[in-house]
Amino acid sequence: MFRPKFLALALLLSSVPAALAASHETSYSNSCNELWPAVKEVISNPENYKMVSSDDAKWTAFYDVKHKVHLSISGAVAQKTNQVTLVAQGTGCQMQVNSSFSGLTHDDQGDFVKRVNEALAKQPAAAKPTEQAKP
C-alpha cells in the first residue's frame, strides 16, 4: 500500500520541473544580426541578469535571472538557468526564450522580452515585434 502511493508521489514531483519550464516565442521583422546586439545588451545588465554563457555564432545565450525576492522556498529552488535563442525566419527573426520560473513578483519571460524590445527600440530603424502563439 505504501509503495504505490510513494511511486505516484515520485512521478508527480518529477513532472514539476517540466511544468515550470516554458518557451515563449516572439517574431521580429528585424534580422537576427540586428536583434542579437539588443539581446546581448539586455543580458549584460548586471542588475537583472548574470550571463552564464553565450555563443554569438549560434545566437544562443544562457543566463540567470537576478530576483530581489522569492516569496517561497519553492520559487527559489525552482529557479534555473534560462536560455534565449534566435532563429532566422526569412528576412526576420524569431526569439525563443526558455524560462524555468515565473512567480507572483516577476515574469522571467515577459520581463526579458520587454527589455529586449526596449533595447531594440533604442537602435536606429528598429521594427516592432509581432507575438506568435505557440501551438
Side-chain angles (χ1 to χ4, degrees):
M1 185 192 250
F2 174 72
R3 193 170 283 180
K5 287 182 183 179
F6 177 75
L7 288 174
L9 180 61
L11 286 173
L12 178 65
L13 290 176
S14 68
S15 66
V16 169
L20 293 175
S23 179
H24 180 82
E25 299 169 350
T26 306
S27 293
Y28 294 84
S29 58
N30 302 70
S31 71
C32 292
N33 284 326
E34 295 169 337
L35 185 59
W36 188 241
V39 170
K40 295 277 294 232
E41 176 185 329
V42 169
I43 296 173
S44 298
N45 182 338
E47 289 183 28
N48 299 316
Y49 303 104
K50 178 185 173 207
M51 174 83 73
V52 174
S53 68
S54 175
D55 185 336
D56 292 340
K58 294 182 179 178
W59 297 317
T60 299
F62 293 89
Y63 60 96
D64 291 328
V65 178
K66 291 187 177 179
H67 295 297
K68 294 180 174 83
V69 176
H70 279 288
L71 293 181
S72 69
I73 292 173
S74 64
V77 171
Q79 184 64 38
K80 304 284 186 216
T81 299
N82 293 347
Q83 176 183 358
V84 59
T85 302
L86 302 184
V87 179
Q89 293 185 322
T91 59
C93 185
Q94 182 182 71
M95 181 172 68
Q96 300 173 349
V97 179
N98 293 307
S99 176
S100 60
F101 183 77
S102 290
L104 296 174
T105 60
H106 51 83
D107 173 18
D108 292 351
Q109 297 169 357
D111 291 344
F112 186 82
V113 171
K114 180 182 84 169
R115 290 175 180 134
V116 169
N117 291 344
E118 290 169 356
L120 187 59
K122 293 177 191 176
Q123 295 179 354
K128 296 191 183 249
T130 55
E131 292 291 324
Q132 182 175 353
K134 185 171 186 212

